[in-house]
Amino acid sequence: MSALRFPNLPPSEPQGADLLAQERANTTFSVHEVSTFLYGEVYLERQERLLALIENEPAFDKSNRYFLGRTERFAAALRKDHALVKLSKEFQWSPEEYIQAESLIDEAGPFGLHRGMFMPTLASQCTDEQLEKFLKPSQRYEIIGCYAQTELGHGSNVQGIETTATYIPETNQFELHTPYLTASKWWIGGLGKAANHAVVMARLITNGKDYGPHALCVPIRSMEDHTLLPGVMAGDIGPKFGYNTTDNGCMWFDHYRVPHISLLAKYSSVKPGSGEYVKPPNAKLSYGTMVLVRASLVGAARQGMAKAATIATRYSAIRRQFVDKDAPKMLGKQVVETPVLDYATQQYRLFPIIAAAYACFFTSKEMMRLYYLNMKNMENGDFSLLADVHASSSGLKSLTTTMAASAVEDCRRACGGHGFSAFSGLPLLLQDYVPNVTWEGDNYMITQQTGRYLFKSFRELVAKRASGKFSASQINNPTLAYMNTYLENPTLKCPATSASQFHNPELQLAAFGHRAASLVAQIVHALDVEKRTWNSMLVDIYNVSVAHCQLILVQNFILGIRGEMPQPEGIQPMVLSAASKEALTDLSDLFAMHTIHKQPGEFLTSGYLDAKQISLLGEAVMDVMEKKVRPNAIGFVDAFAFPDYLLNSAIGAFDGRAYERYTEMATREPLNRTEVVEGYEQYIRPYTNPEGLKGHLLQARI
């Protein structure tokens, strides 16, 4: 029981619940319709069903989450993952149900990489025999795995990893070895304590030749008592900035032998006995898992931004500060302080984040569609999509995770002092989200992959146009389309002469396309004609990846609202009502216009926009925020359909009772279990009441 008891007093008027009710009454569109448009009825119904089950499971209780230390949190996460698997078996959950349940619980755990990377790698790179041996036991959780690629000395540079897997023909085995300290596997989620198997990326060496990184599925702990197997050393790497419910581990091998079947051999293999290497039909076939994870991270970016924006926007509608003398807020006949959300600066901080979350939603759906389509095509020997999907997933992973990490922190700051409290839900969200900018490729490094694809595409397009046998009707790739438009008219100018004209989606797309193509052309010229070094162009390459991917986000947002995005086979797009379509178009306009206005330099240097037009854009941004987005702000975040259980926020709950929840959470602080702190007699009283201490000691002697 807590020694801290707050008085039974209500917050001052107006109440948070009343303020949010008023906001919802002002919404111009159907929140349920937009939620359904985003997720579908099946998803929303499934969420309600899963939530009823999850909230009543003690292993998923979040009430003490903010009060636990790392050891306690890891123990709770292990219990959580065990219970999740148990429930999934009991209720025979589909993969979609499991993922959705995991999303609601919203806490990383030691089994996360087992489902997120270990099993997808097996599914995409195993032979039929290996699927029986490795994947099926993994699906039953008899095998619990991790994905061991990153090393102490190499992360993003996969080609530079140093762990070796040498084929031994005499015994038909592979020998895994860690030749240097820097070759130690490091940062591997689930490896520290939970996993008994690992997909290990190691340099394949056979007949004295190094064939570079290949994946092997190997046991690392005993299936009897979970002790490490001879030749394997592993453990947890210690506390981190966030993600402390996952046992990120380290591992090294001492001439550790594994059987021939360990090498994942769907595409490349080593012949038993002779050690002859059989190369894959396409060198990038092993990119499957990487593309899947990077495409998934675009969806995770949307989720992170949306959660943070929901908390900050609801709180900003409740929190009141100062009186706006020009437009005082009235409660009946009484002037009250202005809700923070009414201030233009707060709108400028939050509304573009809401818009960005919606933008990422449409692109994340498209990236997952392309991933599955590409995997299906590759099964049939068609690799035509691979380069584009790989390049786009790399650039979008970089852009969207950078956007989301900044957005979560911006939302935390927008909540003032209370955003610094763990009870807001924002600090833990930030801590657990920021690793996304580093894993699966550092956000600056991986943009080179996008750049290489863009430059190659541009060179090929220029060559085709110069051949005299080119027709624009041959282009069925959106990347080539915007490049060709630029080459048709490199000096194209924006025709806008008023702020309202920037709401034209075709003008927005033209601006982003011209800017991206102009950057590509400049870099290709610098590399090919001026003979600039690749390293000297890295900043420009990063910028061109951002430009290309911002165009993708804008384009998918516009097409998504129109219902013109390609759909997975058998899926029909939902048709929005006029009111919902108009509201989402306001967000799409804000996303496009704010992106330009915030980073105008490249749009100016491309020649498409001039300084006067940038000024007009600023007017358009402020106008759409105040007149269009502000009345619908709470409706937009409500449409994300996050239950209070998921947000776990005192200040961002649906009912608006921010101050009541906040003070109640404070009573659960373990320090408040006693009125007088432990250590008072030893550390405080000697200074504050030394005479009383002497008397107390004297009396104790008597």
Side-chain angles (χ1 to χ4, degrees):
M1 180 177 290
S2 177
L4 179 66
R5 294 181 179 85
F6 287 95
N8 187 23
L9 296 172
S12 60
E13 294 292 339
Q15 298 298 302
D18 296 332
L19 288 169
L20 288 189
Q22 185 179 26
E23 293 283 347
R24 290 175 178 126
N26 292 335
T27 303
T28 66
F29 64 92
S30 166
V31 170
H32 179 73
E33 181 190 7
V34 172
S35 296
T36 305
F37 180 69
L38 295 176
Y39 305 107
E41 285 286 2
V42 172
Y43 179 97
L44 296 173
E45 291 169 0
R46 187 167 60 218
Q47 177 167 276
E48 290 300 314
R49 174 169 49 82
L50 291 172
L51 192 62
L53 185 65
I54 288 169
E55 286 188 298
N56 291 312
E57 168 56 54
F60 306 146
D61 178 29
K62 296 185 180 182
S63 60
N64 291 317
R65 183 173 287 185
Y66 298 135
F67 305 111
L68 302 179
R70 197 215 166 186
T71 302
E72 297 168 307
R73 288 191 67 201
F74 179 74
L78 195 57
R79 180 189 180 203
K80 177 264 295 182
D81 277 2
H82 171 267
L84 197 56
V85 173
K86 185 178 178 181
L87 279 178
S88 71
K89 291 182 176 182
E90 179 182 348
F91 291 95
Q92 298 183 323
W93 284 348
S94 65
E96 292 78 15
E97 287 172 312
Y98 191 103
I99 291 169
Q100 198 165 349
E102 200 170 35
S103 176
L104 287 168
I105 297 166
D106 195 31
E107 184 165 63
F111 294 178
L113 271 292
H114 173 73
R115 290 190 64 85
M117 291 198 69
F118 180 75
M119 288 201 291
T121 301
L122 297 180
S124 65
Q125 297 191 41
C126 280
T127 62
D128 290 342
E129 182 184 6
Q130 290 172 326
L131 291 173
E132 289 291 330
K133 183 174 180 59
F134 298 129
L135 182 59
K136 288 192 175 180
S138 300
Q139 292 169 334
R140 297 189 295 267
Y141 284 81
E142 294 163 9
I143 287 177
I144 297 174
C146 59
Y147 185 83
Q149 176 171 291
T150 300
E151 295 180 350
L152 185 61
H154 287 89
S156 299
N157 180 17
V158 178
Q159 294 302 315
I161 63 174
E162 298 171 323
T163 299
T164 58
T166 305
Y167 180 63
I168 311 298
E170 293 80 6
T171 59
N172 195 31
Q173 293 176 305
F174 292 97
E175 183 177 272
L176 288 166
H177 186 59
T178 304
Y180 311 105
L181 179 64
T182 47
S184 304
K185 294 299 179 183
W186 207 268
W187 286 112
I188 313 304
L191 170 62
K193 292 296 176 184
N196 54 37
H197 279 65
V199 166
V200 177
M201 291 297 291
R203 309 195 70 81
L204 176 63
I205 300 172
T206 181
N207 292 330
K209 185 173 180 180
D210 185 337
Y211 288 93
H214 284 66
L216 299 91
C217 183
V218 304
I220 58 174
R221 288 186 170 95
S222 166
M223 300 297 283
E224 298 296 324
D225 60 8
H226 208 60
T227 55
L228 291 166
L229 296 174
V232 180
M233 288 72 73
D236 189 272
I237 64 171
K240 301 148 298 205
F241 179 82
Y243 235 70
N244 282 303
T245 48
T246 294
D247 52 330
N248 292 88
C250 54
M251 176 169 62
W252 53 101
F253 303 103
D254 184 10
H255 300 284
Y256 177 54
R257 299 276 182 101
V258 295
H260 179 270
I261 198 173
S262 299
L263 179 68
L264 302 189
K266 182 174 183 178
Y267 298 116
S268 59
S269 60
V270 171
K271 291 185 177 180
S274 70
E276 179 186 347
Y277 178 70
V278 180
K279 66 180 182 179
N282 187 299
K284 295 181 179 179
L285 278 169
S286 60
Y287 285 13
T289 303
M290 185 192 309
V291 170
L292 171 62
V293 174
R294 288 178 179 174
S296 300
L297 288 175
V298 180
R302 177 203 68 84
Q303 186 90 339
M305 283 189 278
K307 285 190 288 190
T310 298
I311 293 169
T313 304
R314 286 176 178 167
Y315 177 64
S316 295
I318 295 165
R319 182 72 168 181
R320 293 171 283 118
Q321 293 287 304
F322 309 105
V323 173
D324 184 348
K325 295 179 180 178
D326 297 321
K329 188 82 171 181
M330 304 296 295
L331 181 64
K333 295 183 179 181
Q334 182 182 358
V335 175
V336 296
E337 288 183 287
T338 301
V340 175
L341 197 58
D342 283 348
Y343 290 108
T345 47
Q346 194 76 342
Q347 294 172 14
Y348 194 79
R349 297 166 86 177
L350 296 180
F351 293 173
I353 294 173
I354 298 173
Y358 275 86
C360 287
F361 174 84
F362 292 103
T363 290
S364 68
K365 287 187 70 174
E366 175 63 2
M367 287 308 301
M368 294 308 297
R369 185 192 71 84
L370 288 172
Y371 165 75
Y372 287 113
L373 178 60
N374 176 60
M375 293 300 289
K376 180 181 178 181
N377 289 352
M378 289 199 304
E379 290 288 334
N380 298 319
D382 178 1
F383 302 98
S384 59
L385 271 178
L386 180 59
D388 190 83
V389 173
H390 176 248
S392 296
S393 68
S394 299
L396 285 165
K397 181 272 175 184
S398 171
L399 173 61
T400 60
T401 59
T402 297
M403 289 165 58
S406 297
V408 175
E409 171 62 5
D410 287 344
C411 287
R412 188 197 65 75
R413 294 184 184 189
C415 292
H418 295 327
F420 194 68
S421 169
F423 301 154
S424 71
L426 293 167
L428 185 58
L429 174 58
L430 176 65
Q431 291 165 23
D432 285 351
Y433 185 79
V434 290
N436 285 273
V437 305
T438 301
W439 61 35
E440 294 310 307
D442 170 80
N443 275 7
Y444 280 84
M445 186 285 302
I446 61 172
T447 57
Q448 295 178 67
Q449 298 168 19
T450 311
R452 286 190 181 95
Y453 169 73
L454 294 175
F455 307 149
K456 180 182 178 182
S457 299
F458 186 81
R459 291 182 183 112
E460 290 175 352
L461 178 60
V462 169
K464 285 181 181 178
R465 287 173 57 89
S467 70
K469 300 177 181 179
F470 171 78
S471 169
S473 61
Q474 299 170 345
I475 295 177
N476 57 3
N477 179 308
T479 300
L480 294 178
Y482 79 73
M483 289 180 180
N484 188 61
T485 298
Y486 171 82
L487 289 171
E488 292 282 352
N489 188 0
T491 60
L492 184 67
K493 304 293 183 184
C494 174
T497 56
S498 67
S500 62
Q501 289 176 289
F502 284 101
H503 291 274
N504 182 342
E506 303 308 322
L507 188 151
Q508 295 165 8
L509 290 170
F512 279 92
H514 193 88
R515 168 241 203 164
S518 173
L519 289 172
V520 172
Q522 291 172 35
I523 296 171
V524 169
H525 184 270
L527 292 170
D528 295 355
V529 179
E530 299 174 12
K531 303 302 180 184
R532 295 274 299 276
T533 65
W534 185 264
N535 185 51
S536 72
M537 299 299 296
L538 284 179
V539 173
D540 300 272
I541 292 167
Y542 173 81
N543 290 336
V544 79
S545 175
V546 169
H548 172 73
C549 292
Q550 285 177 341
L551 170 58
I552 292 175
L553 288 173
V554 171
Q555 189 169 49
N556 286 336
F557 203 162
I558 292 169
L559 293 178
I561 295 169
R562 290 176 177 173
E564 296 175 5
M565 283 184 67
Q567 298 293 319
E569 190 174 341
I571 302 296
Q572 292 296 321
M574 175 179 165
V575 179
L576 284 169
S577 66
S580 294
K581 191 171 185 178
E582 181 181 349
L584 289 180
T585 300
D586 293 333
L587 281 185
S588 174
D589 286 346
L590 175 59
F591 178 73
M593 295 189 300
H594 176 265
T595 300
I596 298 172
H597 190 251
K598 191 176 180 181
Q599 301 171 310
E602 292 162 358
F603 293 93
L604 289 168
T605 56
S606 74
Y608 187 74
L609 294 173
D610 60 32
K612 174 62 177 175
Q613 290 169 328
I614 295 297
S615 178
L616 292 173
L617 251 176
E619 294 177 23
V621 167
M622 300 308 295
D623 187 67
V624 75
M625 286 196 304
E626 178 188 359
K627 296 178 181 177
K628 297 289 188 176
V629 179
R630 173 63 188 91
N632 285 322
I634 294 300
F636 284 135
V637 298
D638 282 354
F640 290 136
F642 294 134
D644 288 344
Y645 171 81
L646 169 59
L647 295 176
N648 197 26
S649 171
I651 64 175
F654 185 87
D655 64 8
R657 299 179 69 252
Y659 299 118
E660 297 94 323
R661 289 174 183 270
Y662 196 1
T663 51
E664 189 279 326
M665 280 189 173
T667 65
R668 288 189 265 128
E669 164 57 49
L671 284 174
N672 291 327
R673 289 173 184 164
T674 60
E675 186 174 344
V676 178
V677 68
E678 182 181 346
Y680 166 75
E681 294 289 345
Q682 188 175 0
Y683 302 117
I684 298 177
R685 190 168 184 174
Y687 294 118
T688 62
N689 191 5
E691 294 301 320
L693 179 61
K694 290 176 184 177
H696 175 73
L697 293 174
L698 179 61
Q699 187 175 17
R701 290 193 190 104
I702 295 173

